[in-house]
């Protein structure tokens, strides 16, 4: 880590009532997340002791994100522009959202952490939210109904802010690239085709003969995924488009709670590496199928969509967005239905490895380094355990019945 770079950043950060920073005295760092909690960056928690201009010592805490040191990791980050995307969101998009909030006297808390600084395009320094009593929920347990509804409403607020920026042309749809997961052939192979094929093989060999039809459908889905996703992700100006967070799952949301309770009182979305401009339903689908306990999602699906739509309408109205262009609940339902094959893909791929009991569920960079056989990065055990099957078997039956697969 470069102490001089950090010192430059921290000197820019003014604290009310405290003298300026003279120099850094020491830096301590430790991994901010355990293995299996993050997949595409090195994330460090830093404790920085500084000397102020009056001679006194003070301590700063921050999060430092950097490109992985391994060659495959660096190549992956370069090809997918994940650091470029995140830096643009923090440095431009979120700043413009703050301006918009001030314009409309929206005095609610921000939905993001504070950017301390960055270096193009390999590192980002951010506010350490853990010092502000924000925590990440357990990725294996996923979100309960109360946290899910809170997050859905907050996501709608984020989308509303972005929609106004797009409407005013403050931000252009082309400022961020398309969602690589479903537009880049190599990424589709890595994150969907290889998972569909691996799950098909596992179902055929381990789930029993009563699931033979699922194995066949999964195999068919692996053959059509490229064309279906690339068609699905095409940008259409007639849809209600927003700046999607892009990776809205349990570990990329931090909650604060009412003291002494488990009731959420605040939320911060973090990790904007997959941000892109497209239909709101890309974020909402990803969130529902990758963050919420599947039994809750199935039982409360319409309640969750309704909470999102009502919040979206409330904030778009507050920000004086044209009322005739605000999606109603049926519009939301229809758009979610259009992306249901994406929901299926998220559930059996990204959700399978991000919520797995093991921290060795998926080696992203091993998969990236084996372009002809990306399935080599998948730990097949995630598909044979009861933990996974108990969560998704009912969904698989629904997807087959509805003709999604």
């Amino acid at each position: 880590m470069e102490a001089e770079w950090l010192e430059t950043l921290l000197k820019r950060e003014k604290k009310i009532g405290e003298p300026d920073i003279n120099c850094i005295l020491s830096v301590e760092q430790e991994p901010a997340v355990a293995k299996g909690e993050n997949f595409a960056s090195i994330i460090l928690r830093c404790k920085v002791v500084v000397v102020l201009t009056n001679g006194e010592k003070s301590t700063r805490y921050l999060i430092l994100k950097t490109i992985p040191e391994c060659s495959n990791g660096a190549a992956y980050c370069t090809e997918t522009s994940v650091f470029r995307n995140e830096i643009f969101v923090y440095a431009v998009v979120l700043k413009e959202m703050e301006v918009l909030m001030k314009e409309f006297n929206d005095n609610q808390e921000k939905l993001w952490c504070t950017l301390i600084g960055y270096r193009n395009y390999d590192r980002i320094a951010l506010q350490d939210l853990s010092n502000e009593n924000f925590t990440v929920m357990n990725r294996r347990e996923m979100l309960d109904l109360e946290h899910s509804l809170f997050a859905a409403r907050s996501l709608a607020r984020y989308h509303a802010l972005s929609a106004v920026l797009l409407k005013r042309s403050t931000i252009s749809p082309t400022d961020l690239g398309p969602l690589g997961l479903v537009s880049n052939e190599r990424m589709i192979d890595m994150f969907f085709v290889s998972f569909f094929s691996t799950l098909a093989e596992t179902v055929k060999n381990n789930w029993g003969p009563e699931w033979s039809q699922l194995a066949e459908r999964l195999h068919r889905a692996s053959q059509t995924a490229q064309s279906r996703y690339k068609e699905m992700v095409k940008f259409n100006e007639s849809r209600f488009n927003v700046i999607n967070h892009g990776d809205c799952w349990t570990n990329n949301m931090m909650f604060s709670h009412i003291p002494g309770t488990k009731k959420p009182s605040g939320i911060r979305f973090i990790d904007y590496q997959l941000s892109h401009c497209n239909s709101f339903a890309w974020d909402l689908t990803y969130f529902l199928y990758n963050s919420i306990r599947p039994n809750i999602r199935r039982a409360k699906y319409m309640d969750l969509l309704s909470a999102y739509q009502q919040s979206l309408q409330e904030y778009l109205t507050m920000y004086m967005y044209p009322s005739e262009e605000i999606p109603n609940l049926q519009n939301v339902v229809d758009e979610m239905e259009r992306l249901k094959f994406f929901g299926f893909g998220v559930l059996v791929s990204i959700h399978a490895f991000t919520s797995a009991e093991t921290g060795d569920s998926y080696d992203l960079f091993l998969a990236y380094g084996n372009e002809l056989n990306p399935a080599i990065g998948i730990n097949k055990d995630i598909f044979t355990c009861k933990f996974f099957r108990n969560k998704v078997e009912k969904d698989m039956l629904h997807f087959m019945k509805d003709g999604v697969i």
Side-chain angles (χ1 to χ4, degrees), residues 86-231:
E86 186 160 29
I87 288 170
F88 179 79
V89 171
Y90 273 112
V92 179
V93 176
L94 301 182
K95 296 293 185 184
E96 291 293 345
M97 287 186 179
E98 291 180 30
V99 172
L100 189 62
M101 289 171 65
K102 289 180 181 179
E103 177 184 340
F104 287 95
N105 296 314
D106 181 353
N107 297 316
Q108 297 177 84
E109 292 184 350
K110 298 184 300 182
L111 295 170
W112 47 87
C113 68
T114 300
L115 171 70
I116 296 174
Y118 61 90
R119 189 176 75 180
N120 289 337
Y121 289 104
D122 63 357
R123 63 185 56 197
I124 308 172
L126 301 164
Q127 171 192 17
D128 185 354
L129 290 169
S130 63
N131 283 333
E132 309 295 329
N133 296 316
F134 282 86
T135 58
V136 175
M137 306 300 287
N138 189 308
R139 66 176 175 84
R140 297 178 179 90
E141 295 178 2
M142 294 162 284
L143 302 184
D144 60 19
L145 180 59
E146 189 168 28
H147 285 82
S148 299
L149 290 169
F150 194 95
R153 295 186 184 105
S154 300
L155 183 62
R157 180 181 161 214
Y158 180 82
H159 284 171
L161 284 163
S162 73
V164 175
L165 295 181
L166 290 168
K167 188 71 174 176
R168 294 180 172 184
S169 297
T170 305
I171 304 294
S172 167
T174 58
D175 286 336
L176 292 160
L179 179 59
L181 292 177
V182 288
S183 60
N184 180 300
E185 289 189 3
R186 188 172 184 181
M187 297 302 116
I188 296 173
D189 276 341
M190 280 177 56
F191 289 103
F192 298 110
V193 175
S194 61
F195 275 87
F196 297 171
S197 299
T198 302
L199 181 55
E201 178 185 350
T202 305
V203 169
K204 180 180 179 180
N205 296 332
N206 300 94
W207 283 31
E210 67 273 21
W211 291 98
S212 59
Q213 187 180 22
L214 174 59
E216 294 173 4
R217 299 281 188 96
L218 286 164
H219 177 69
R220 189 186 311 162
S222 72
Q223 296 178 316
T224 61
Q226 286 281 356
S227 59
R228 291 180 72 176
Y229 284 136
K230 283 189 284 188
E231 179 63 30

Side-chain angles (χ1 to χ4, degrees), residues 318-330:
M318 176 192 295
Y319 304 137
M320 300 181 67
Y321 195 83
S323 59
E324 67 276 9
E325 297 179 25
I326 299 176
N328 59 35
L329 181 57
Q330 189 59 54

